[in-house]
Amino acid sequence: MNDLTFEKRFVALDSRKFRDPDITARGEARASVALQRLDTLWINTGTLCNITCVNCYIESSPTNDRLAYVTAVEARAYLDEIAELGLPTAEIGFTGGEPFMNPDMLEMLEVALSRGFRALVLTNAMQPMQRPSVSAGLVRLRQAYGDRLVMRVSLDHYTAELHEQERGAKTFDKTLTGLDWLAENGFSVAIAGRSVWGEPEPVARAGYAALFAERGWPIDADDRAALVIFPEMDARVDVPEITTACWGILGLSPNAMMCATSRMVVKRRGAAAPTVLPCTLLPYDDAFEMGATLAESLAADGGMFSRGAVKLCHPHCAKFCVLGGGSCAPE
């Protein structure tokens, strides 16, 4: 029996924090991050998922459709805009929910890949991906575009016990089946793990390495892009607010934050069109909507934005990105 446990004890977030976009609860100037270049455009394909996890930051489930399916037509419009604006975007990321629940997923992938972008898909590699029509389409795309298509599979832990503590019974073997298929068919595969159990990172990487070797997956557990172990997010937990002085104190650059190089497109249930957000972590907060187009997002001003820069006025900004060093894009 693994002696790691899924802890739910926490200190509640101070209600005075993350209220004023410009000033922290202690009266200090809040930090912000300007977009340096749009390297990665994320498309949230919708929040529906085939499983319900214990601590999913986006609360994906078989019934949560708060974010609707983005269509291939809508995705194509953003890729058109990248070209029209001359943006240096190299990668289109697809996240959910489970992206392969979206009926337009294969078409969106082909549109992105055919235009020369890299495509990164965040998937649980379970039944939606394993459907014959989807798997056949993926093989065709891999044969056409090779390693420009990367599948990042959520494998929360290298043991069935702890993976299923988060994702539910009988999920571990189904994910391994999907990963076996991806490896056998020559896909470029990365793994997304979790740090929720407080396991030292070298121990976690060694555990994953043993599993990779046992299954014959060509994944380097010491490569931080091939095996990403994400910091945990919980907006209820107390975290420090990030001030302008923090960059020097922590020895960090705002240019290293995810919102310096990425944006995300979501479509809210009932909305006529998608909207642009700073990153993958803030899908439901209306205050972080930057406009319907990339051009509008570049000039967003007022509230949580200052001439396109993002004010770090959310617990996830502190916990995941600044203090946790997390990013959804490859390093």
Side-chain angles (χ1 to χ4, degrees):
M1 194 74 165
N2 200 303
D3 60 2
L4 296 173
T5 57
F6 189 87
E7 295 288 347
K8 279 296 186 181
R9 290 172 291 182
F10 58 83
V11 177
L13 179 68
D14 186 335
S15 62
R16 296 170 296 178
K17 293 181 177 179
F18 303 104
R19 299 184 67 176
D20 187 303
D22 300 298
I23 304 296
T24 69
R26 297 176 62 177
E28 299 170 284
R30 188 178 304 284
S32 64
V33 174
L35 183 71
Q36 297 303 302
R37 62 193 181 280
L38 185 62
D39 286 345
T40 302
L41 178 65
W42 288 93
I43 295 175
N44 187 293
T45 60
T47 39
L48 287 173
C49 186
N50 55 302
I51 58 175
T52 302
C53 296
V54 172
N55 188 29
C56 176
Y57 83 98
I58 202 168
E59 301 172 0
S60 297
S61 76
T63 59
N64 179 11
D65 62 351
R66 289 175 66 185
L67 298 184
Y69 289 147
V70 168
T71 68
V73 170
E74 290 165 338
R76 187 178 285 107
Y78 286 99
L79 304 190
D80 290 343
E81 193 179 9
I82 287 172
E84 291 163 3
L85 296 174
L87 300 175
T89 311
E91 179 180 66
I92 308 300
F94 296 92
T95 184
E98 168 50 49
F100 292 109
M101 300 277 285
N102 186 317
D104 282 5
M105 185 61 213
L106 289 175
E107 185 179 352
M108 289 190 287
L109 274 176
E110 183 146 33
V111 169
L113 290 164
S114 67
R115 296 191 182 196
F117 295 104
R118 296 190 306 271
L120 173 63
V121 185
L122 276 53
T123 176
N124 58 38
M126 295 174 68
Q127 291 95 327
M129 188 200 77
Q130 295 175 32
R131 298 196 308 272
S133 60
V134 173
S135 59
L138 285 172
V139 167
R140 179 177 56 80
L141 291 173
R142 188 205 61 75
Q143 290 171 341
Y145 302 105
D147 288 346
R148 284 202 285 116
L149 171 59
V150 179
M151 309 290 284
R152 182 188 287 169
V153 178
S154 298
L155 190 66
D156 289 339
H157 199 260
Y158 52 86
T159 66
E161 178 191 351
L162 295 185
H163 177 85
E164 292 185 354
Q165 192 178 102
E166 168 66 20
R167 296 196 167 240
K170 301 181 180 180
T171 57
F172 188 71
D173 285 344
K174 291 176 182 177
T175 297
L176 297 195
T177 297
L179 278 161
D180 286 341
W181 180 85
L182 289 168
E184 289 165 4
N185 284 277
F187 284 86
S188 179
V189 179
I191 299 293
R194 299 279 292 273
S195 62
V196 64
W197 299 280
E199 190 173 36
E201 186 171 323
V203 174
R205 291 191 179 276
Y208 278 106
L211 177 64
F212 299 166
E214 175 189 336
R215 307 295 293 201
W217 302 336
I219 304 171
D220 182 357
D222 291 321
D223 183 338
R224 291 176 177 270
L227 171 59
V228 185
I229 301 178
F230 284 119
E232 288 303 302
M233 295 184 293
D234 189 332
R236 302 169 298 168
V237 176
D238 196 52
V239 291
E241 294 182 282
I242 306 302
T243 70
T244 54
C246 286
W247 303 125
I249 294 169
L250 296 171
L252 295 174
S253 168
N255 296 345
M257 300 301 106
M258 184 162 50
C259 54
T261 56
S262 70
R263 291 292 180 261
M264 183 169 79
V265 172
V266 305
K267 186 176 183 181
R268 305 204 184 282
R269 180 178 57 198
T275 188
V276 180
L277 304 177
C279 71
T280 60
L281 308 181
L282 307 171
Y284 297 132
D285 195 329
D286 294 349
F288 285 94
E289 292 189 3
M290 305 188 80
T293 67
L294 294 175
E296 290 174 0
S297 75
L298 297 176
D301 199 47
M304 295 299 179
F305 311 109
S306 176
R307 290 173 292 182
V310 181
K311 300 172 185 178
L312 303 186
C313 192
H314 194 282
H316 291 345
C317 303
K319 175 70 172 178
F320 187 86
C321 291
V322 178
L323 301 177
S327 173
C328 289
E331 295 182 357

